Amino acid sequence: DCWPVVSWASVDYFGRWKALHYRARKFFAPVMLSLHEDGNAKIVNIANETRSAFDGVASVAVKNNGFEILASYRTEISVPALSSKDIVLPTEISEMLDKNANELFLEYTLEKDGKVLERDGKIYAKPAEYRFEDPEITAELREENGAFYLDITASRFAKNIMIEWENAEVTPEDNFFDLTNGT
């Protein structure tokens, strides 16, 4: 399919991944953290689709656009094989997000053995109503041991960042992501 365009295709005419393909890798991950609501409660769900128990850490942080942490919650989790577990977030976090939905976001993280498996952000307002600020994004390309790394930084929260290259065929390890902590 051509890109950028809204369609069901996850790769373009040349076989390059589109935003859906990057997101699909996340929502089809063997162990995944997702968010949902039940009434006013904000709930974190960890789904383990592997044949082994998953032991790790789930954390959330309520942040403003400048990455200041206003409230946080962190818990060790153990999810048996082929099952999922819900964690209801503290009421103060749910209320803070509900009262300030236009200017706060929730950063959620899943870790195992000190390695971040997933980090993303969620806004609880309609995107058109959220008070995004200029993230002042900068990027620096560096080479290290024959591999190239693109360091991206922002001074403010940035949702759904997509990297494009002109005159180069590049398949990044990740694309179409949120900058929830500045780098």
Side-chain angles (χ1 to χ4, degrees), residues 110-178:
L110 182 64
E111 300 174 49
K112 180 171 179 70
D113 300 326
K115 181 182 177 195
V116 174
L117 303 178
E118 181 177 357
R119 174 179 286 128
D120 222 339
K122 174 157 177 61
I123 58 173
Y124 286 90
K126 293 177 183 175
E129 295 173 359
Y130 187 82
R131 292 188 190 120
F132 288 102
E133 298 176 16
D134 182 358
E136 300 173 359
I137 296 172
T138 60
E140 182 180 325
L141 185 64
R142 62 183 166 84
E143 183 179 3
E144 214 175 274
N145 300 322
F148 289 93
Y149 297 88
L150 185 62
D151 297 322
I152 302 171
T153 59
S155 62
R156 299 276 186 261
F157 172 56
K159 185 109 182 103
N160 298 331
I161 299 297
M162 185 183 77
I163 306 163
E164 293 182 300
W165 285 263
E166 290 183 20
N167 305 318
E169 286 297 319
V170 177
T171 305
E173 185 177 293
D174 197 8
N175 207 351
F176 203 72
F177 53 88
D178 298 342

Side-chain angles (χ1 to χ4, degrees), residues 66-84:
F67 307 121
E68 179 185 2
I69 298 172
L70 305 175
S72 64
Y73 179 76
R74 182 178 174 89
T75 185
E76 292 186 12
I77 52 161
S78 184
V79 184
L82 301 173
S83 64
S84 69

Side-chain angles (χ1 to χ4, degrees), residues 2-183:
C2 55
W3 175 248
V5 67
V6 176
S7 78
W8 290 104
S10 68
V11 293
D12 71 9
Y13 176 84
F14 299 103
R16 295 176 296 214
W17 288 16
K18 293 170 55 174
L20 171 60
H21 216 79
Y22 287 99
R23 286 296 188 181
R25 184 174 64 182
K26 291 179 182 181
F27 58 73
F28 283 120
V31 179
M32 179 186 82
L33 185 151
S34 62
L35 303 169
H36 64 276
E37 296 177 77
D38 185 4
N40 292 333
K42 307 282 189 273
I43 300 168
V44 172
N45 176 271
I46 294 87
N48 178 8
E49 298 296 325
T50 70
R51 296 187 181 271
S52 304
F54 175 82
D55 295 310
V57 175
S59 60
V60 298
V62 178
K63 294 183 173 184
N64 62 19
N65 275 320
F67 307 121
E68 179 185 2
I69 298 172
L70 305 175
S72 64
Y73 179 76
R74 182 178 174 89
T75 185
E76 292 186 12
I77 52 161
S78 184
V79 184
L82 301 173
S83 64
S84 69
K85 183 175 279 190
D86 279 345
I87 301 166
V88 178
L89 295 179
T91 304
E92 76 173 77
I93 288 178
S94 296
E95 289 175 352
M96 186 179 292
L97 289 166
D98 289 341
K99 288 178 186 173
N100 302 289
N102 293 348
E103 54 196 41
L104 300 179
F105 70 94
L106 186 71
E107 177 190 65
Y108 57 96
T109 307
L110 182 64
E111 300 174 49
K112 180 171 179 70
D113 300 326
K115 181 182 177 195
V116 174
L117 303 178
E118 181 177 357
R119 174 179 286 128
D120 222 339
K122 174 157 177 61
I123 58 173
Y124 286 90
K126 293 177 183 175
E129 295 173 359
Y130 187 82
R131 292 188 190 120
F132 288 102
E133 298 176 16
D134 182 358
E136 300 173 359
I137 296 172
T138 60
E140 182 180 325
L141 185 64
R142 62 183 166 84
E143 183 179 3
E144 214 175 274
N145 300 322
F148 289 93
Y149 297 88
L150 185 62
D151 297 322
I152 302 171
T153 59
S155 62
R156 299 276 186 261
F157 172 56
K159 185 109 182 103
N160 298 331
I161 299 297
M162 185 183 77
I163 306 163
E164 293 182 300
W165 285 263
E166 290 183 20
N167 305 318
E169 286 297 319
V170 177
T171 305
E173 185 177 293
D174 197 8
N175 207 351
F176 203 72
F177 53 88
D178 298 342
L179 285 176
T180 61
N181 64 353
T183 59

